[in-house]
């Protein structure tokens, strides 16, 4: 009887089987799935970004149906579904088409899986998903609704945070548009709220993350070592900066961004701003960086507070994504984080303010990059995903913010999975991990077996081998399934 | 009406007095799946639960006779109290004979015809049907055109229609007839109507000889043995059809009553007919058993009375429980008359027939010490009745009252014990049919594990390994399917991989996917070859001719005993006496072919197999011969065959039970059989029929186990068309074939159906531009994975007398000029070799051999225009097809014309 109290392993295995069979025998499923004695990390798998196509149809519906079933049988808890602004509200403001997403939610419900919705207010390059047509249309005549860099190049994959409260969208502000979207979502999916839909993440910027689009894909060269550029050069940001400087009695500081920052593909140590003892460490630098980062935090607060208000009466958890800007983390100035909008340096913890904002709005933080390990970073980039992850989770813990994890690379391979396991097995580990992402590679013979293995390991992370019950029984069972032996050993 | 099979089906007990007393019966674990057993078409649960009543032989009356009634033992006493009385409803199924009628007749004018399907048994009948269109390939159903669907029809997936049968007034003998009429026009392109009948009340499916009913509307002979209605000639069965009916008579002499009458006038080869098919329907019959217990204070004994209206002999298989565990024990004597001991575990008492002859009863005297009386009823050797899957449990005397009142929790706690006592019963039953029950136990175990969410150590430990395995396999299959779909949406993904792989392969290396790489295939038969009855002998004479033409491999027809004479509906796999000749003639032929250096491919049909026996539902899914599989070998997702295997890992071939290759025993048997074919007959490799029907991974398993010299699979599905025009881009089509080859790990090649389809359009419609894909490569499988592509232009299905998808007439040699000069392994059809084309084909074959063109040769497309296609192969051979002009330029190389004919030319370097 001792084993029963101590170990979830035996129970896990059983639940795996019971639940799996339950899926085969659909009419029994509901009864049996309720008995789920597994605690620990919940595992979700992201659905393809282009699950619903630009033209409003479900891509590879059959494959998704089959995939869902496979996940269910494996014992995965749920799936994550990206819901795109540019698809749902494509034609005109306030005209929402949820048809495909509703169908998908129903598919997920029927399969007995949970659903995490990611509301995406940004555009995607690969696969190509745009902002709503009517927004792009406005952007053609008013490019200042987008972020701009020093050379004035607009970033057209999301709106600038400086227009959050400006009525640039046919008399409405972007915040109002986002809120309207959330409200329509809530009422359209009311039947799924709290039952199938367990969580919603709110898009906060580029790729949904709370950051500036400081890195631009200028070239296909992935070895880009630059720290990115500040994105404070659209009309509204500049005027905002100007006002701020004047208010502080330093009008000259508000004439533009810093003059000595390196370009996208220049090393951050090649110019004055980020070098040790550079501008970042002087009063001007502090002025600028404080303003730049506070703009971002306020933006996050604006969106999250409205979302929290919208979803306050449904039992779903809200979350937002915080970037893991890990390159140059081992330098003193953390230039990549600075351009991305997090004022985090050797002297200052920039994640406190962010965690505090999330905490105030009772939102969880989604952290990507749980698959990245320091060992595989190029030396010259001085980066450390692991240290940064540790810093952010510490801030979250301090402010009582729950953390959900994600992996960054879709095709990370076995090493990535090892790293994820390592991150998840930490004490105070994340509540939920979303594995990105379903697709051809995911199901390929190169990848799927290791994922299967991962799922099974995940369900027994907290156990040491000597906690495992009836070890000899398992082996004596002569199971053809070698995975089981491995995880016992 | 006769009782054949009874199944334990129950309603909740009706109380008659004593209702204040809760009993175990109510609180025992609910087993809802028992209740809905016959209701739904095929949930796994239901199948599994019915195991105990599967494989039953038809009922036989017990030979025991009722002996004289002796009630002397039964003591009645004034002072006795009725302490328990309850009536349990019993539901059994009974079989009722009836018939299904099929009538085809012409309507008000000659082109309008009507098919009437009727059934004389009461029920909620549904016609589940679909059609084949003219020119359709394979036997997949299609939906009929909307105007053909009677009112009330609903569509099922994209291939079938369900139409309810209406009660008809036109009943001849006063009995009610249910029927449905389908009107159709003979000018529509419908080749056949296929159907099965379903009774919604019971969820049962009714078929024709284990397969779909098929009504042919055209003169196309596709005799799979399930055709109803005559097609030609008044009252005279033409040759092949006569043979079919003989075959069928052998297998099912008694059950089918063919009545060919009312032949109406013949129109376009279509003629009316009327036919009756005997059917057996199972209906539920309500019976009951009443149990009452009196407690006699004077004797301190309990007197228990059982009364039932069950017909025939009823045996009570019983025991007592002495404590609250539900272990059966044998009470002390005296026992009622006609009681025998059963293996020291239980007593068997035959109830006395009542005087009226209706029902029977019995009395049991029990000591006060027992807590309960437990029993099940046995009607005959194979039919047991219990209570919701548990034993009947009758609490006795006052002692048991407290225990009963804590019934709910108690019964759950006792779940294990309770079940083990039912197991005892099946253990006993296994004496009669050991094999069956052993399996039954296993399934029961499995279900119990699933349903009762057991938390005990023991059950966790014995967590059924089979269930786990099957889940893993299921996950694997699902992942493979999802992978193939996701991947096919980005076809470039695999392309680059493959090119690399092909480049890495050493040029001459014998693998089962390619042979030596220099193979040239001959399809050594056509659709008529079975007719001579001595094809093996005929072919023997042609062996040396085939070798001299340059063929290295010959594909022989399917050798096994088969329902259809062509061999594609195999029955006993080890019986190699077929319409093509007997096993000895086959061996001699193989020897002759080997002598002239030709290797032999056996045509093996692994996807499906025709059953030789029916299960207890009248479904043909029990196999005969050396591989006497039962319905566990049949996939579960074709409702027509009620398989108990896993779901199919591929498409279903609807005309016969599809084999479940996920079953270990099936794979083991198939491997053994393939080994036997190699050793006994001398086959060198395989042509695999209908591999769409199961996962390529299983093929890999078979090929790795049998190490053939060469293997090729028939993965044939439709190309993509938009508005009737074939799409230029057939990447999705070839990707599906590639995916299959990939699933076999490249251990087999596949027929390049894509190339054939594109050649159809290119040559038939003068659209030669189609012969280059977007990247300047051949547009078929041969463009992506040449070493695994087996190119062909015609086979026994597409051409011959079937003509399902015939190559454009007169363009055949252009087709051969293409495939015989291009990479891939070409296959030449028998009909073309022995025809006026022989000399041209021979020339092309010798060009291929002379220039050492092989499956991995490189091809450079020089021209792909409206009226001409030209290509250069290995920089040694140049070719053009089409009426347009092309000449290779005589630069560094000197080209000389090697072959020339209508709209084609081939050059070689000299």
């Amino acid at each position: 009887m001792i084993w029963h109290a101590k170990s979830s392993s035996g129970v896990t295995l059983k639940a795996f089987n019971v639940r799996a069979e339950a899926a085969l025998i659909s009419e029994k499923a509901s009864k049996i799935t309720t008995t789920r004695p597994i605690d620990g990390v919940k595992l979700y798998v992201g659905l393809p970004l282009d699950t619903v196509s630009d033209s409003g149809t479900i891509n590879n519906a059959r494959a998704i149906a089959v995939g869902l079933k496979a996940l269910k049988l494996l014992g995965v808890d749920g799936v994550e579904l990206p819901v795109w602004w540019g698809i749902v509200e494509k034609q005109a403001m306030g005209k929402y088409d949820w048809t495909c997403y509703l169908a998908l939610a129903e598919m997920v419900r029927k399969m007995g899986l949970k659903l995490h919705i990611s509301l995406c207010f940004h555009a995607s390059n690969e696969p190509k998903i745009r902002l709503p047509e009517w927004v792009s249309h406005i952007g053609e005549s008013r490019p200042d609704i987008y972020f701009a860099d020093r050379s004035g190049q607009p970033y057209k994959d999301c709106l600038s945070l400086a227009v959050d409260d400006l009525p640039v969208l046919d008399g409405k502000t972007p915040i109002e548009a986002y809120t309207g979207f959330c409200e329509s979502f809530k009422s359209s999916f009311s039947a799924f709220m709290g039952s199938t839909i367990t969580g919603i993440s709110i898009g906060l910027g580029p790729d949904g993350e709370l950051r500036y689009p400081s890195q631009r894909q200028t070239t296909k060269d992935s070895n880009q070592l630059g720290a990115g550029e500040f994105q404070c050069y659209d009309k509204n940001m500049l005027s905002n900066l100007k006002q701020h400087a004047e208010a502080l009695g330093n009008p000259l500081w508000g004439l533009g961004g810093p003059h000595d920052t390196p370009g996208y593909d220049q090393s951050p140590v090649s110019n004055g701003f980020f070098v040790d003892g550079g501008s970042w460490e002087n009063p001007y630098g502090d002025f600028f960086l404080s303003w730049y980062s506070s703009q971002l935090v306020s933006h996050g607060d604006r969106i999250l507070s409205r979302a929290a208000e919208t979803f306050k009466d449904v039992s779903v958890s809200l979350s937002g994504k915080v970037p893991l800007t890990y390159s140059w983390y081992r330098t003193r100035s953390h230039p990549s984080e600075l351009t991305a909008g997090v004022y985090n340096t050797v002297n200052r913890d920039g994640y406190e303010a962010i965690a505090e904002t999330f905490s105030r709005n009772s939102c969880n933080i989604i952290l990507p990059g749980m698959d990245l390990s320091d060992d595989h970073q190029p030396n010259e980039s001085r980066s450390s995903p692991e240290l940064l992850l540790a810093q952010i989770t510490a801030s979250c813990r301090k402010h009582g913010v729950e953390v959900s994890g994600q992996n960054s690379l879709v095709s990370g391979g076995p090493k990535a999975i090892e790293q994820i396991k390592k991150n998840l097995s930490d004490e105070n580990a994340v509540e939920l991990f979303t594995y990105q992402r379903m697709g051809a590679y995911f199901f390929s013979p190169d990848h799927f077996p290791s994922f299967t293995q991962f799922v099974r390991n995940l369900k027994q992370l907290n156990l040491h081998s000597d906690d495992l019950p009836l070890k000899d029984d398992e082996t004596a069972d002569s199971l053809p399934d070698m995975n089981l032996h491995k995880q016992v050993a | 009406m006769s009782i054949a099979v009874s199944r334990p089906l129950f309603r909740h007990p009706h109380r008659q007095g004593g209702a204040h007393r809760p009993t175990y019966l109510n609180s025992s674990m609910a087993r809802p799946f028992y209740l809905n057993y016959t209701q739904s078409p095929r949930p796994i649960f239901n199948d599994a639960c019915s195991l105990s009543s599967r494989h039953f032989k038809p009922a036989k009356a017990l030979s025991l006779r009722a002996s004289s009634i002796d009630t002397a033992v039964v003591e009645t006493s004034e002072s006795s109290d009725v302490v328990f009385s309850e009536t349990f409803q019993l539901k059994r199924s009974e079989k009722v004979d009836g018939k299904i009628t099929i009538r085809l007749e012409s309507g008000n004018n000659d082109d309008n015809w009507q098919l009437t399907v009727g059934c004389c048994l009461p029920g909620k009948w549904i016609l589940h049907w679909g059609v084949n269109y003219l020119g359709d390939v394979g036997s997949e159903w299609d939906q009929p055109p909307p105007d053909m669907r009677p009112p009330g029809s609903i569509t099922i997936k994209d291939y079938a229609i369900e139409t309810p049968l209406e009660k008809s007034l036109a009943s001849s003998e006063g009995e009610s007839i249910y029927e449905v009429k389908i009107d159709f026009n003979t000018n529509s392109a419908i080749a056949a109507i296929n159907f099965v009948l379903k009774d919604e009340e019971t969820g049962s499916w009714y078929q024709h000889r284990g397969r779909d009913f098929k009504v042919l509307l055209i003169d196309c002979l596709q005799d799979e043995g399930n055709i109803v209605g005559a097609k030609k000639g008044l009252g005279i069965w033409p040759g092949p059809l006569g043979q079919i009916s003989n075959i069928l008579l052998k297998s099912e002499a008694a059950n089918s009553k063919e009545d060919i009458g009312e032949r109406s006038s013949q129109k376009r080869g279509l003629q009316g007919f009327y036919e009756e098919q005997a059917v057996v329907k199972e209906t539920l019959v309500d019976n009951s058993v009443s149990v009452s217990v009196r407690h006699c204070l004077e004797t301190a004994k309990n007197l228990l009375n059982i009364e039932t209206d069950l017909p025939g002999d009823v045996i009570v298989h019983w025991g007592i429980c002495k404590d609250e565990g539900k272990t059966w024990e044998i009470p002390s004597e005296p026992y009622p008359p006609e009681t025998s001991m059963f293996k020291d575990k239980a007593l068997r008492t035959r109830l006395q027939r009542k005087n009226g002859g209706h029902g029977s009863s019995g009395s049991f005297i029990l000591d006060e010490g027992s807590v309960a009386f437990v029993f099940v009823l046995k009607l005959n050797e194979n039919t047991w009745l219990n209570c919701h899957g548990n034993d009947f449990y009758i609490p006795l005397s006052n002692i048991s009252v407290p225990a009963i009142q804590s019934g709910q929790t108690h019964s759950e706690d006792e779940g294990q014990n309770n079940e083990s006592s039912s197991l005892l019963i099946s253990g006993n039953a296994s004496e009669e049919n050991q094999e069956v029950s052993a399996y039954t136990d296993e399934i029961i175990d499995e279900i119990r594990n699933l349903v009762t969410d057991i938390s005990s150590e023991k059950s966790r430990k014995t967590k059924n390994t089979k269930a786990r395995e099957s889940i893993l396999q299921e996950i694997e299959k699902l992942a493979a399917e999802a992978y193939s779909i996701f991947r096919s949406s980005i076809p470039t993904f695999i392309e680059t991989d493959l090119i690399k792989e092909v480049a890495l392969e050493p040029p001459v290396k014998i693998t089962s996917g390619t042979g030596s790489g220099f193979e040239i295939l001959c399809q050594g038969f056509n659709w008529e070859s079975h007719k001579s009855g001595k094809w093996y002998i005929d072919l023997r004479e042609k062996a040396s001719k085939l070798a001299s033409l340059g063929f290295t491999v010959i594909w022989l027809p399917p050798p096994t005993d088969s329902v259809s004479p062509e061999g594609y509906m195999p029955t006993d796999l080890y019986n190699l006496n077929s319409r093509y000749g007997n096993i000895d003639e086959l061996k001699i032929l193989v020897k002759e072919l080997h002598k002239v250096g030709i290797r032999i491919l056996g045509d093996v049909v692994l996807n499906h197999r025709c059953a030789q026996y029916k299960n207890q539902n009248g479904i043909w899914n029990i196999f005969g011969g050396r591989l006497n599989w039962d319905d566990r070998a049949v996939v579960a997702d074709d409702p027509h065959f009620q398989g108990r295997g896993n779901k199919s890992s591929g498409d279903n071939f609807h005309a016969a039970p599809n084999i479940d290759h996920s079953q270990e025993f099936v794979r083991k048997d198939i491997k053994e059989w393939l080994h036997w074919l190699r050793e006994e007959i001398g086959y060198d490799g395989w042509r695999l029929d209908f591999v769409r029907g199961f996962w390529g991974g299983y093929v890999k398993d078979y090929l790795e186990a049998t190490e053939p010299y060469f293997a090729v699979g028939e993965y044939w599905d439709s190309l993509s068309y938009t508005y009737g025009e074939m799409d230029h881009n057939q990447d999705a089509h070839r990707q599906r074939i590639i995916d299959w080859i990939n699933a076999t790990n490249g251990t087999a090649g596949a027929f390049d159906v894509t190339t054939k389809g594109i050649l159809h359009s290119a040559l038939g419609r003068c659209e030669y531009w189609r012969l280059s894909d977007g990247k300047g490569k051949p547009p078929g499988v041969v463009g992506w994975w040449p070493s695994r592509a087996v190119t062909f232009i015609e086979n026994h299905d597409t051409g011959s007398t079937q003509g399902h998808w015939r190559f454009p007439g007169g363009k055949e040699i252009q087709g051969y000029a293409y495939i015989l000069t291009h990479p891939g392994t070409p296959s030449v059809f028998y009909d073309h070799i022995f025809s006026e084309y022989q000399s041209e084909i021979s020339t092309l074959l010798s060009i291929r051999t002379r220039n050492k063109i092989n499956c991995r040769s490189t091809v450079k497309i020089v021209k792909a225009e409206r009226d001409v296609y030209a290509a250069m192969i290995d920089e040694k051979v140049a070719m053009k097809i089409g009426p347009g002009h092309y000449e290779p330029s005589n630069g560094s190389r000197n080209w000389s014309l090697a072959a020339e004919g209508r709209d084609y030319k081939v050059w070689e370097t000299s």
Side-chain angles (χ1 to χ4, degrees), chain A residues 1-20:
Chain A
M1 291 319 287
I2 306 143
W3 67 269
H4 189 251
K6 242 171 120 182
S7 89
S8 63
S9 158
V11 184
T12 305
L13 278 175
K14 183 194 67 205
F16 170 78
N17 267 331
V18 169
R19 290 196 294 149

Side-chain angles (χ1 to χ4, degrees), chain A residues 153-353:
Chain A
Q153 280 303 307
Y155 175 83
K156 295 188 173 180
D157 286 348
C158 72
L159 300 184
S160 166
L161 58 83
V163 296
D164 273 353
D165 284 326
L166 300 180
V168 291
L169 303 177
D170 295 333
K172 280 201 175 175
T173 69
I175 291 286
E176 283 165 353
Y178 302 151
T179 308
F181 189 85
C182 289
E183 275 164 0
S184 170
F185 171 78
K186 183 182 134 189
S187 62
S188 305
F189 287 77
S190 56
F192 298 99
M193 289 290 179
S195 50
T196 297
I197 297 177
T198 52
I200 299 170
S201 48
I202 313 292
L204 298 171
D207 295 333
E209 297 176 341
L210 183 64
R211 64 173 169 91
Y212 291 94
S214 52
Q215 297 280 4
R216 303 276 187 95
Q217 286 291 326
T218 46
T219 55
K220 293 222 163 163
D221 182 9
S222 57
N223 285 331
Q224 195 183 38
L225 287 177
E229 292 189 13
F230 290 111
Q231 308 287 321
C232 58
Y233 297 91
D234 70 70
K235 197 181 83 185
N236 302 298
M237 284 295 280
L238 285 175
S239 79
N240 194 323
L241 174 62
K242 188 158 173 275
Q243 280 172 25
H244 184 63
E246 283 164 2
L248 287 181
N250 258 322
L252 290 179
W253 284 359
L255 296 179
H259 64 96
D260 53 354
T261 54
Y264 291 115
D265 42 10
Q266 284 176 295
S267 166
V269 290
S270 69
N271 240 329
F273 195 87
F274 298 117
V275 296
D276 286 356
S279 310
W280 67 277
E281 287 191 279
N282 66 29
Y284 164 74
D286 181 54
F287 155 80
F288 177 78
L289 293 170
S290 301
W291 167 79
Y292 188 69
S293 61
S294 68
Q295 292 294 306
L296 186 69
V297 170
S298 312
H299 163 76
D301 190 40
R302 277 192 293 271
I303 295 187
L304 291 177
S305 60
R306 296 298 288 271
E309 177 66 20
T310 305
F311 292 108
K312 68 176 181 204
D313 52 349
V314 287
S315 59
V316 294
S317 65
L318 283 192
S319 47
K321 200 167 165 190
V322 168
L324 194 76
T325 319
Y326 52 84
S327 61
W328 301 107
Y329 184 81
R330 287 178 198 268
T331 60
R332 291 182 66 241
S333 57
H334 297 204
S336 294
E337 289 162 83
L338 296 184
T339 56
V342 185
Y343 190 2
N344 191 49
T345 66
V346 71
N347 307 319
R348 187 183 191 277
D349 188 340
Y351 294 96
E352 286 289 306

Side-chain angles (χ1 to χ4, degrees), chain B residues 379-617:
Chain B
L379 296 188
N380 60 39
E381 287 307 299
N382 298 309
T383 309
W384 298 76
L385 296 174
N386 59 10
C387 181
H388 295 250
N390 295 325
D391 310 326
F392 290 97
Y393 184 100
I394 311 298
L396 298 173
S397 76
N398 296 331
I399 310 163
S400 61
V401 172
I404 291 166
Q405 273 164 350
S406 65
Q408 189 66 38
T409 48
H410 181 81
S411 129
E412 272 168 18
D413 292 342
E414 297 296 327
Q416 286 304 113
N417 283 329
N418 189 8
E419 272 150 4
S420 60
S421 60
S422 6
L423 267 188
L424 171 81
I425 302 300
S426 28
N428 294 339
S430 75
E431 297 299 317
E432 273 95 33
N433 199 339
Q434 208 144 28
E435 193 189 25
V436 172
S437 310
Y439 188 70
T440 310
D441 289 357
E442 210 172 291
I443 295 290
I444 290 170
D445 257 327
E446 199 172 319
I447 293 161
R448 184 181 315 133
N449 287 348
L450 295 174
V451 174
T452 56
D453 196 15
I454 308 149
S455 51
S456 86
E457 184 174 344
K458 197 169 191 175
S459 49
R460 191 198 65 82
K461 189 175 69 185
T462 58
K463 179 57 58 199
N464 203 306
T465 55
K466 272 200 176 153
R468 184 179 309 169
E469 252 179 284
S470 73
I471 292 160
L472 289 174
Q473 274 179 2
E474 176 81 9
I475 291 172
E476 209 171 282
K477 263 188 276 172
L478 290 167
E481 186 179 353
Y483 175 49
S484 69
I485 303 172
F486 276 126
R487 195 178 53 164
S488 62
S489 59
I490 35 167
T492 46
F493 179 82
I494 190 161
E495 194 179 348
T496 46
D497 285 355
L498 292 173
I499 289 164
K500 260 185 244 155
E501 190 213 331
V502 170
L504 289 172
E505 270 176 311
V508 179
K509 179 187 148 205
I510 292 171
T511 70
S512 59
T514 59
S516 67
F518 293 85
E519 310 299 341
I520 303 176
L521 229 75
C522 158
Q523 176 174 8
F525 64 101
N526 62 28
W527 196 245
E528 304 294 311
S529 299
H530 64 91
K531 285 192 176 150
S532 70
K534 52 182 184 63
W535 187 251
Y536 295 147
I537 296 170
D538 296 346
L539 208 54
R540 209 187 298 164
E541 295 158 13
K542 302 208 159 71
S544 54
K545 174 74 188 169
L546 291 171
S548 70
L549 283 169
F551 291 106
T552 61
V553 176
I554 187 170
W555 154 21
L556 293 184
T560 53
D561 182 27
S562 161
V563 169
S564 63
E566 296 84 8
Y568 288 101
M569 304 290 272
T571 50
D572 178 1
L573 298 185
Y574 281 93
N575 180 355
L576 297 192
N577 299 317
S578 70
R579 293 308 177 96
Y580 299 101
N582 63 35
I583 183 167
D584 296 322
E585 290 161 351
L586 175 60
K587 283 182 185 170
I588 296 168
L589 171 64
V590 168
K591 204 175 271 175
E592 288 291 318
L593 287 165
H594 279 161
K595 221 182 274 175
V596 297
I598 295 180
R599 291 191 159 85
I600 293 102
L601 301 188
D603 195 332
V604 288
V605 183
L606 302 180
N607 174 67
H608 53 270
R609 191 180 156 198
C610 293
Q612 272 142 295
Y613 308 102
K614 293 195 274 193
N615 70 359
Q616 85 278 9
N617 295 338

Side-chain angles (χ1 to χ4, degrees), chain B residues 149-446:
Chain B
R149 305 173 191 169
S153 300
I154 54 162
T155 57
I156 302 296
K157 304 225 175 117
D158 55 353
Y159 58 78
I161 292 288
E162 285 195 353
T163 308
L165 272 66
E166 307 277 1
K167 199 163 185 172
S168 164
L169 299 172
S171 58
S172 47
E173 298 128 35
E175 55 188 5
S176 55
I177 290 182
Y178 295 80
E179 55 181 25
V180 61
K181 291 178 164 43
I182 296 167
D183 291 303
F184 62 94
N185 192 297
T186 47
N187 295 326
S188 61
I190 293 174
I193 299 176
N194 306 298
F195 65 90
V196 292
L197 272 176
K198 187 171 91 176
D199 186 358
E200 292 247 297
E201 270 175 14
T202 61
S204 319
W205 297 81
Y206 294 85
Q207 290 174 304
H208 182 58
R209 293 164 186 151
R211 296 205 293 280
D212 305 336
F213 289 92
K214 189 179 195 78
V215 178
L216 278 186
L217 306 179
I218 53 160
D219 269 340
C220 165
L221 188 66
Q222 197 187 13
D223 42 355
E224 292 158 347
N226 57 337
I227 297 158
V228 293
K231 294 186 310 255
K232 294 175 194 163
L234 282 160
I236 302 156
W237 292 90
L241 218 55
Q243 288 163 7
I244 302 162
S245 61
N246 286 340
I247 295 164
L248 292 169
L249 280 174
K250 257 187 272 167
S251 60
E252 198 191 355
N255 225 321
S256 142
K257 183 180 71 176
E258 306 238 350
D259 177 6
I260 305 117
E262 293 194 26
R263 296 179 183 282
S264 67
S265 66
Q266 193 163 340
K267 174 77 182 173
R268 284 187 60 217
L270 187 62
Q271 68 186 50
F273 65 87
Y274 174 77
E275 199 172 302
E276 289 181 5
Q277 291 291 323
V279 291
V280 178
K281 178 183 165 165
E282 290 180 357
T283 51
L284 294 177
V285 178
D286 289 321
N287 288 108
S288 63
V289 59
S290 302
V291 183
S292 64
V293 183
R294 286 164 185 278
H295 186 64
C296 175
L297 296 171
E298 288 165 13
T299 58
K301 282 180 193 240
N302 286 312
L303 175 65
L304 185 136
N305 238 305
I306 294 180
E307 246 180 85
T308 176
D309 61 348
L310 284 165
D313 283 319
V314 180
I315 290 171
V316 181
H317 185 101
W318 62 284
I320 55 161
C321 297
K322 287 194 169 152
D323 52 31
E324 282 150 31
K326 290 188 176 175
T327 323
W328 285 40
E329 287 178 49
I330 307 289
S332 52
E333 295 195 57
Y335 304 136
E338 290 203 57
T339 296
S340 60
M341 182 80 78
F342 185 79
K343 293 191 184 291
D344 296 332
K345 287 170 184 161
L347 293 168
R348 286 183 164 180
T349 302
R350 192 148 60 83
L351 296 180
Q352 314 284 337
R353 290 281 184 92
K354 284 187 193 163
N355 277 334
H358 186 71
S360 35
S361 63
S363 295
F364 302 79
I365 295 166
L366 305 160
D367 289 334
E368 205 171 34
S370 29
V371 172
F373 178 84
V374 282
F375 71 100
V376 292
L377 297 174
K378 179 170 177 279
L379 296 188
N380 60 39
E381 287 307 299
N382 298 309
T383 309
W384 298 76
L385 296 174
N386 59 10
C387 181
H388 295 250
N390 295 325
D391 310 326
F392 290 97
Y393 184 100
I394 311 298
L396 298 173
S397 76
N398 296 331
I399 310 163
S400 61
V401 172
I404 291 166
Q405 273 164 350
S406 65
Q408 189 66 38
T409 48
H410 181 81
S411 129
E412 272 168 18
D413 292 342
E414 297 296 327
Q416 286 304 113
N417 283 329
N418 189 8
E419 272 150 4
S420 60
S421 60
S422 6
L423 267 188
L424 171 81
I425 302 300
S426 28
N428 294 339
S430 75
E431 297 299 317
E432 273 95 33
N433 199 339
Q434 208 144 28
E435 193 189 25
V436 172
S437 310
Y439 188 70
T440 310
D441 289 357
E442 210 172 291
I443 295 290
I444 290 170
D445 257 327
E446 199 172 319

Side-chain angles (χ1 to χ4, degrees), chain A residues 29-58:
Chain A
S30 55
K31 275 189 189 167
I32 293 162
T33 45
T34 52
T35 62
R36 182 179 170 278
I38 302 165
D39 42 6
V41 185
K42 290 201 182 71
L43 179 67
Y44 282 50
V45 171
L47 293 176
L49 288 173
D50 58 349
T51 297
V52 175
S53 74
D54 202 22
S55 51
T57 53
I58 300 178

